[in-house]
Amino acid sequence: METKEFAVNVEHLRKSFDGKEEVLKGIDLHIEKGKITFIIGFSGTGKSVLLKHLLGVHKATSGDVEVLGHKLSTLNHDQLIEVRKKFGVLFQAAALFDDHSVLENVMFPLNEHRKDLSKAEREQIASSRLKQVGLEEKHYNKLPSEISGGMQKRVGLARAIALNPEIILYDEPTTGLDPIITEMVDNLIIETHKSREGMTSIIVSHDLTAAFRLADYIAMLNAGTVLLYGTPEEFLASDNELVRKFVDKGIHRK
Ligand SMILES: Nc1ncnc2c1ncn2[C@@H]1O[C@H](COP(=O)(O)OP(=O)(O)OP(=O)(O)O)[C@@H](O)[C@H]1O
Ligand SMILES: [Mg+2]
């Protein structure tokens, strides 16, 4: 049998900010490499805080976070930056630079981290990423304000994959988007996932329809702990009351 490889291992992770009540109360989570994992749960349960621990933006109060074999708490600043380069990140607001063109936005991480390449080479990579997410060349020199919201999402994704990441983190990539753009983004997530061998995609989302359609695994957080972690089938079969409540509501809403 094939042995599973894990991109992320979170062990007994606890976090409180400034000695206040704990937000994360002992998270154990092992995210399989090469798979799509959704993280779901009610608002305020610590999903975004958990994602930020994977990037080393937040430091654990106790417990461990290991990413691609690196225990984050043991890394110095430069080593942490190296690990962060292995991540692509797409948050809800695409957070593009307003005064940079589409192409310059995608070049940004390359300019930061691939100084070994010539400008022409960086441009070439950026335009190939934009092509990959289906943005036509005639938009490359426009400012973000001159393209539609759906196109901005594509640019954000192109920028997230600029450095050819091993792990992509999405925090609510489709919240607030219309159903057409939501479906487009869902499809882009799948295509991006498939575009790289061994890519690990981790998606925080309130969109249960997408979770059940796209996920290999789903983790449901509740009040700073993992309530249930399993396949979509295991979620549908769960008789845990909170899981049922969340799943029924989410599906009912559609
Ligand atoms: N930097 C911070 N300092 C102090 N408290 C924080 C900080 N970041 C988050 N929190 C608190 O941690 C809790 C969990 O927040 P988090 O953003 O992870 O929730 P979430 O599950 O992502 O919710 P949502 O679905 O609404 O995005 C909240 O009570 C929030 O106020
Ligand atoms: Mg959040």
Side-chain angles (χ1 to χ4, degrees):
M1 213 179 85
E2 213 184 335
T3 51
K4 286 184 184 173
E5 219 185 310
F6 295 97
V8 171
N9 288 304
V10 175
E11 310 258 5
H12 315 312
L13 171 60
R14 292 178 170 270
K15 176 66 176 181
S16 71
F17 292 97
D18 313 319
K20 293 207 198 84
E21 198 202 339
E22 283 183 325
V23 173
L24 303 181
K25 300 178 180 172
I27 300 265
D28 288 293
L29 191 59
H30 305 278
I31 295 182
E32 201 179 330
K33 192 169 187 290
K35 303 288 183 187
I36 300 181
T37 297
F38 269 71
I39 298 174
I40 64 172
F42 295 101
S43 197
T45 51
K47 303 182 297 294
S48 297
V49 168
L50 174 61
L51 278 198
K52 286 178 186 158
H53 277 84
L54 306 188
L55 292 167
V57 171
H58 289 329
K59 306 253 180 290
T61 304
S62 67
D64 281 315
V65 179
E66 188 191 282
V67 173
L68 300 168
H70 304 277
K71 205 167 168 176
L72 298 189
S73 60
T74 66
L75 303 181
N76 64 30
H77 178 77
D78 291 347
Q79 290 168 326
L80 185 60
I81 299 292
E82 282 306 309
V83 173
R84 272 194 205 151
K85 277 193 228 168
K86 299 175 194 285
F87 281 97
V89 178
L90 185 67
F91 286 168
Q92 183 178 349
L96 301 174
F97 301 107
D98 298 334
D99 56 348
H100 285 45
S101 72
V102 162
L103 188 69
E104 286 164 351
N105 263 282
V106 181
M107 282 181 72
F108 190 83
L110 296 158
N111 294 341
E112 290 280 292
H113 298 298
R114 295 303 308 273
K115 295 187 169 75
D116 55 312
L117 301 177
S118 70
K119 183 155 182 263
E121 286 170 320
R122 282 178 260 145
E123 254 172 30
Q124 204 251 321
I125 294 174
S127 54
S128 81
R129 296 293 187 267
L130 283 164
K131 208 163 281 155
Q132 196 178 329
V133 300
L135 204 78
E136 292 172 79
E137 221 171 312
K138 64 180 180 196
H139 301 301
Y140 291 6
N141 292 318
K142 291 183 182 170
L143 291 173
S145 58
E146 297 168 326
I147 58 175
S148 72
M151 287 183 203
Q152 290 174 8
K153 278 278 167 191
R154 290 180 196 263
V155 177
L157 188 56
R159 189 176 62 185
I161 60 175
L163 295 169
N164 200 15
E166 293 183 45
I167 304 178
I168 299 207
L169 303 182
Y170 299 90
D171 196 350
E172 306 200 17
T174 59
T175 301
L177 299 178
D178 74 41
I180 304 289
I181 297 183
T182 295
E183 195 177 316
M184 178 207 90
V185 173
D186 287 346
N187 290 335
L188 274 178
I189 289 173
I190 284 286
E191 282 160 29
T192 305
H193 183 81
K194 289 184 181 154
S195 70
R196 187 195 212 282
E197 178 72 28
M199 172 86 90
T200 305
S201 299
I202 302 171
I203 305 162
V204 169
S205 181
H206 287 283
D207 182 353
L208 288 188
T209 309
F212 282 103
R213 189 163 75 89
L214 309 182
D216 294 302
Y217 298 103
I218 301 174
M220 180 166 170
L221 259 54
N222 190 58
T225 63
V226 178
L227 186 63
L228 182 65
Y229 178 53
T231 62
E233 293 71 31
E234 287 169 322
F235 264 81
L236 289 173
S238 168
D239 52 14
N240 179 293
E241 201 182 325
L242 268 179
V243 172
R244 287 257 55 84
K245 207 164 140 186
F246 194 77
V247 167
D248 291 345
K249 262 222 171 68
I251 289 170
H252 195 68
R253 201 155 23 96
K254 302 293 153 194

